[in-house]
């Protein structure tokens, strides 16, 4: 079956635009979608730039951003200066469901703010405490959701 490159280009650009509308930076979204749509395990910075018609600086910044989120990893090629950027296995749920230091950090900051307000009747205190409780809940539930997702994926593969 022949791959429809125009349809894949549209997927990359439209998915990236949807992510950007939701607040994800546009160029990292484009790089992420290009990697997802690639038939190879990874792409070089040059290949990403060619596919996305983007500058080396834009690609560099985008992959650096995606690396901080653990959505992309840099893989050196032995005996070569060539570097591939790859998605970790099961990138979406690994990143989404994994322990997220941001959640821990925001929960700790919120708890500290609630203590600083020291008034349970304060609207700000109530909102900040709800934020803290939400992030604690997310951190507690993520491992269970990951197990559920893996089970569902395994059942579909059978």
């Amino acid at each position: 079956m022949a791959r429809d490159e125009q349809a894949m280009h549209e997927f990359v650009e439209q998915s990236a635009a949807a992510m950007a509308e939701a607040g994800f930076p546009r160029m990292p979204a484009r790089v992420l979608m290009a990697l997802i749509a690639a038939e190879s395990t990874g792409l070089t910075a040059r290949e990403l730039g060619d596919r996305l018609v983007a500058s080396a600086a834009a690609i560099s910044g985008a992959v650096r951003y995606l690396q901080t989120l653990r959505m992309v990893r840099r893989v050196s090629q032995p005996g070569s200066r060539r570097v591939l950027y790859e998605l970790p296995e099961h990138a979406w749920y690994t990143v989404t469901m994994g322990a997220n230091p941001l959640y821990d950090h925001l929960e700790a900051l919120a708890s500290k703010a609630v203590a600083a307000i020291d008034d349970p009747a304060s609207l700000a205190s109530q909102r900040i405490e709800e934020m803290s409780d939400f992030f604690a809940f997310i951190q507690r539930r993520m491992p269970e959701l990951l197990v559920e997702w893996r089970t569902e994926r395994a059942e579909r593969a059978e």
Side-chain angles (χ1 to χ4, degrees):
M1 203 180 307
R3 178 177 159 113
D4 183 342
E5 292 301 328
Q6 181 58 35
M8 295 312 299
H9 174 75
E10 289 172 9
F11 162 77
V12 167
E13 294 302 330
Q14 290 172 1
S15 297
M19 290 177 71
E21 287 174 23
F24 200 88
R26 183 164 173 70
M27 186 51 72
R30 292 180 71 216
V31 167
L32 180 63
M33 291 299 114
L35 288 169
I36 287 172
E39 289 295 339
S40 58
T41 58
L43 297 171
T44 65
R46 173 172 288 213
E47 290 168 329
L48 285 164
D50 290 347
R51 286 178 189 219
L52 300 173
V53 189
S55 70
I59 297 299
S60 176
V63 295
R64 202 170 32 255
Y65 178 82
L66 292 168
Q67 285 176 296
T68 65
L69 299 178
R70 298 185 321 254
M71 295 184 94
V72 168
R73 65 175 172 235
R74 184 178 195 267
V75 180
S76 297
Q77 302 300 297
S80 170
R81 291 178 39 192
R82 183 179 147 139
V83 172
L84 287 180
Y85 294 100
E86 297 179 343
L87 299 169
E89 187 176 354
H90 311 299
W92 286 113
Y93 73 82
T94 299
V95 171
T96 305
M97 300 292 210
N100 191 327
L102 175 62
Y103 296 158
D104 288 335
H105 186 64
L106 289 173
E107 181 188 356
L109 290 172
S111 294
K112 188 175 177 180
V114 167
I117 294 172
D118 195 29
D119 178 5
S122 161
L123 288 177
S125 178
Q126 291 169 14
R127 287 192 299 265
I128 296 168
E129 187 169 16
E130 181 178 11
M131 177 182 142
S132 176
D133 292 346
F134 173 76
F135 286 117
F137 171 80
I138 293 296
Q139 289 292 78
R140 196 171 56 250
R141 290 283 292 141
M142 283 299 180
E144 297 167 26
L145 290 171
L146 183 55
V147 168
E148 185 178 331
W149 171 248
R150 286 182 177 153
T151 301
E152 184 175 314
R153 295 285 297 165
E155 289 170 358
R156 275 198 235 165
E158 292 174 354

